[in-house]
Amino acid sequence: MRREFERYTPGVVFHAAAYKHVPLMEANPLESVRNNTLVTRAIAEVAIEFEAKRFVLVSTDKAVNPKTMMGQSKALCEWLVEAFGQRQDIPTRFVAVRFGNVLGSSGSVITIFRRQIERGGPVTVTHPEMTRFFMTIPEAVSLVVQAGAIGGRGEVFVLDMGEPVKIVDLARNMIELSGKEPERDIRIEFIGARPGEKLHEELWSDGENVSGTRHAKIHLVTRPSIDAAWLDDELDLLERLVEEGDTLELVAKLASMMKAPRRGPVEEPAAQQHQ
């Protein structure tokens, strides 16, 4: 990454890279933490070293009250943004942008359903009550860029995703749009939730305050600031566990971090500067 930064000297870094396949991450906790969390710290440090003006983390609704390895590893990335954003000794501005699923992106349920319909079914849905938030690619990209341009002191922004959509309704609509009739022409099969999956995702937790910004579809999440020194020590420990291949200890450590992160008081003025 140092070679790439030296060659291209980016002014703004949009860090969207992550392992996003929930069951795969459940089965491979070491890789989840290595790639999603530790690499985020490494790239953030390189961005600081080469004096990038902004670092924008693309986060996920799965980082809210995280129940999966993927969600926990991305929650740590949000904490990293908070920690780096607090530092007065660096010029790089840090922001995180949190949102749900993007329609038509790689691995999107839309792509999977379309392929299943073309094969004549069945269309597989995990659970009849499963819901998710959705946004189009152009809208997501536009809002991420706009959110990245405001703030810069470790803020976490959340995009307005509208109302959650029931996955089974999405499946039925796609079957009908293809000129077929659900259950008669194309069968819908419920296959059960995957390891770690929640029935309903959330865009913020009960412990977070949400306020508006000058952008109608971008909201600011306010919560007590993470203790940067504590986080650095914990990440060093996670890195050692990854290097040693100690999966059980790593999973236990992650769970304890999620249960009781060390935070300070809420900084109220941060919510006002974006109005």
Side-chain angles (χ1 to χ4, degrees):
M1 290 310 302
R2 281 197 179 93
R3 285 197 298 269
E4 296 303 310
F5 271 72
E6 191 169 21
R7 181 177 180 182
Y8 296 106
T9 59
V12 181
V13 178
F14 290 94
H15 183 51
Y19 286 142
K20 298 181 175 70
H21 193 278
V22 172
L24 193 60
M25 293 300 93
E26 287 300 291
N28 297 276
L30 296 173
E31 290 306 314
S32 183
V33 171
R34 188 201 311 273
N35 187 73
N36 289 357
T37 306
L38 299 178
V39 169
T40 295
R41 178 167 70 163
I43 294 178
E45 288 172 346
V46 174
I48 292 168
E49 181 182 339
F50 285 86
E51 299 184 348
K53 292 181 176 64
R54 285 185 176 271
F55 183 100
V56 183
L57 170 74
V58 174
S59 190
T60 168
D61 53 4
K62 292 177 176 60
V64 180
N65 297 322
K67 305 299 182 189
T68 63
M69 286 302 306
M70 184 222 163
Q72 291 173 355
S73 64
K74 291 292 285 184
L76 289 175
C77 295
E78 288 191 356
W79 297 358
L80 272 166
V81 164
E82 291 180 42
F84 280 119
Q86 295 171 37
R87 289 178 53 178
Q88 302 295 320
D89 60 325
I90 58 175
T92 306
R93 298 288 182 255
F94 281 82
V95 172
V97 187
R98 181 195 297 168
F99 56 101
N101 298 277
V102 178
L103 292 166
S105 62
S106 177
S108 166
V109 70
I110 297 288
T111 307
I112 295 170
F113 284 173
R114 185 179 296 124
R115 191 163 55 241
Q116 292 175 335
I117 291 168
E118 288 171 353
R119 290 202 303 255
V123 171
T124 56
V125 177
T126 52
H127 191 283
E129 297 302 318
M130 184 77 69
T131 65
R132 287 294 181 268
F133 292 98
F134 289 100
M135 179 174 281
T136 65
I137 292 174
E139 188 175 20
V141 170
S142 172
L143 290 174
V144 167
V145 171
Q146 290 181 68
I150 59 180
R153 284 298 178 188
E155 293 92 340
V156 177
F157 294 103
V158 58
L159 303 185
D160 184 349
M161 301 288 297
E163 294 300 316
V165 176
K166 288 184 73 170
I167 302 301
V168 66
D169 291 344
L170 181 62
R172 290 195 183 102
N173 290 338
M174 287 191 64
I175 293 170
E176 290 170 354
L177 286 170
S178 71
K180 307 289 185 181
E181 187 175 325
E183 302 304 342
R184 190 190 72 180
D185 302 318
I186 302 285
R187 185 166 55 89
I188 296 176
E189 179 182 336
F190 295 105
I191 58 174
R194 299 176 299 179
E197 269 194 323
K198 293 189 281 188
L199 281 183
H200 310 291
E201 295 289 0
E202 308 155 276
L203 291 171
W204 53 79
S205 68
D206 292 339
E208 296 176 331
N209 298 317
V210 181
S211 58
T213 69
R214 61 178 178 268
H215 298 277
K217 284 186 166 288
I218 301 173
H219 305 289
L220 174 67
V221 171
T222 308
R223 58 188 179 185
S225 297
I226 200 72
D227 184 319
W230 170 82
L231 179 62
D232 206 39
D233 289 342
E234 295 292 274
L235 290 179
D236 286 343
L237 177 54
L238 288 177
E239 187 168 16
R240 179 174 63 78
L241 294 173
V242 167
E243 290 171 354
E244 294 173 355
D246 194 337
T247 301
L248 291 179
E249 188 63 33
L250 178 127
V251 170
K253 167 52 67 175
L254 262 182
S256 68
M257 290 175 70
M258 294 297 122
K259 185 177 180 180
R262 190 174 298 173
R263 291 184 173 275
V266 178
E267 297 181 8
E268 294 294 343
Q272 302 301 319
Q273 62 183 324
H274 307 288
Q275 297 298 325

